[in-house]
Amino acid sequence: MTHSLGVLGPRAFPPAAATQTQVPDRGPRAAAVVLAVGLAAAACTATGAHIDDTAASVSSSSDDGPVTSAGTGVAMCDFPPTGARDCPCTLQGTCVDGLSCVAGQCVARGSTETSVGADSTADGQAESATEGPAVGCGDGVPVAGEFCFDPPFPLYMGGGIRDVVIGNFDGAPALDLVAASSSEDAVVLRVGNGAGEFGVRKVFGIGATPAALAGGDFDGDSLNDVAVASPTSGGVIIFVRGNGNASFAFESSTPFGAGASAITAADLGGSDTTDVIAVAGEAHFVQVLLTDPSPFFGLNAIPVGEGPTDVSLAKLNEDDNLDALVTSEPAGTVSVLLGSADGSFGPPNAIGVGAGARAAAGGDINGDGIGDLVVAGASDLLRLFGTEVGSFGTATPIGSAVTPLDIALVDLDVDGDLDIVAASGGDATIRILANDGTGMFAEELSIATASAPYAIVMGDLNEDGALDLVAGEFESGTVTVVLSNP
């Protein structure tokens, strides 16, 4: 797993526009509803069909050499939607003639899809999303305190999805999806059309098993690239150059450290290019890799104790520098490293949160101007209020998620407070917890995914000004897409 800027959620770039409206009182909370992902329904009787994807192998770097095709005709036998009416769209986001793909379902042209959400009735009981849209949802206007999403739908990306990033990889304004397929030793691209629909799979072999991804412009050519953390060959960071035309080229492989397993990206050195910070779980360190003058130039490795498992970036104080959060599952700690303007980080302050800490996110959740932490623990979500810069109070369980595997802080309901989005692996759901402005959270939505989600990313995939959600799932090889519908 990997993370990006805390307030935007992991790995989402560029940030999606969202209207920020501050309100003093959001009113009573809507009760949580569960949204079932639309896999092939029993009522669908159409015969299963094969989906042809495009596979490409990436062999060596070249300024003008095209990515070469290495094969076609990958059968999606485990996911057989054929695009029949009232059934899931095909994995390419299409339907049979006469039908339209709306929020992952094939419907008659001109029909609309009901928004997913819940709103409290006068007696405090929630209305089910299946009975109609939440009040205010679907009017196209984000309103403070409103959580509105269409039904989720899966997209097959490849076997053993470890991570996913959102970004522009084809030169068009719409955001695309890139996933790390560990069983194919590849990065996999699906190009978005700006309406929440995605094209065929494009598979780019990298010659190593990807464990985590980060996206950004690593070589200063104004095109988004991908950096891959891989445990292959003793641990390497692979630079996969984006060509800006929905293709990639293998650029370099930098020796890193045993157990390279997590990576995230931001401009850490002030060079206007994107740098990375990654962890070597078996070598027990975190290290910044700068991209100026060229990818990747390593600063000193920083020991962070036993078995670091994830790294994220957040602003925890009032300076302009990003700080690092490194979780250690075996040690049960979150190490906080305060950032400097040159891209380096100070010594780690290890904070005990209990065994099993998998991921962390940082931000000011209670409005006191001091950075706080939320942590994906062994079996629960945890909250730590900041007491001063880099220091935190006791970890307090805040419930909701079952064996959380990833976590993000982001203002989903545009009320000025950071809400929690968590990948709940134990029950295969995305959990959304709303912040009341004081750092107290209540569950708003529990959204079912195709299998246990390993990673959560966010971006405006359908260009409606609100953030959409994407979960990467290892067992099913899918991403579950949840489009906003304000």
Side-chain angles (χ1 to χ4, degrees), residues 47-55 71-83 88-96 155-157 190 198-203:
T47 303
H50 292 270
I51 306 298
D52 285 337
D53 291 344
T54 300
T72 59
V74 180
M76 302 298 107
C77 298
D78 291 336
F79 291 87
T82 59
C89 308
T90 69
L91 298 175
Q92 296 171 318
T94 60
C95 299
V96 297
L155 286 172
Y156 184 81
M157 296 296 286
R190 281 188 184 267
F198 299 89
V200 299
R201 270 190 349 139
K202 294 187 176 182
V203 181

Side-chain angles (χ1 to χ4, degrees), residues 80-107:
T82 59
R85 181 166 182 168
D86 297 326
C87 295
C89 308
T90 69
L91 298 175
Q92 296 171 318
T94 60
C95 299
V96 297
D97 291 344
L99 301 177
S100 297
C101 183
V102 179
Q105 296 292 115
C106 291
V107 298

Side-chain angles (χ1 to χ4, degrees), residues 250-307:
F250 178 95
E251 188 71 17
S252 64
S253 178
T254 301
F256 183 68
S261 58
I263 189 169
T264 191
D267 181 7
L268 300 175
S271 62
D272 295 326
T273 58
T274 310
D275 309 301
V276 301
I277 181 171
V279 299
E282 296 176 21
H284 315 303
F285 68 76
V286 62
Q287 186 176 20
V288 172
L289 300 175
L290 299 178
T291 55
D292 186 23
S294 63
F296 289 104
F297 174 78
L299 299 181
N300 292 336
I302 303 173
V304 286
E306 181 184 5

Side-chain angles (χ1 to χ4, degrees), residues 224-273:
N224 281 328
D225 313 300
V226 174
V228 182
S230 170
T232 301
S233 301
V236 294
I237 304 299
I238 299 172
F239 174 30
V240 183
R241 178 168 51 84
N243 297 319
N245 60 358
S247 70
F248 295 103
F250 178 95
E251 188 71 17
S252 64
S253 178
T254 301
F256 183 68
S261 58
I263 189 169
T264 191
D267 181 7
L268 300 175
S271 62
D272 295 326
T273 58

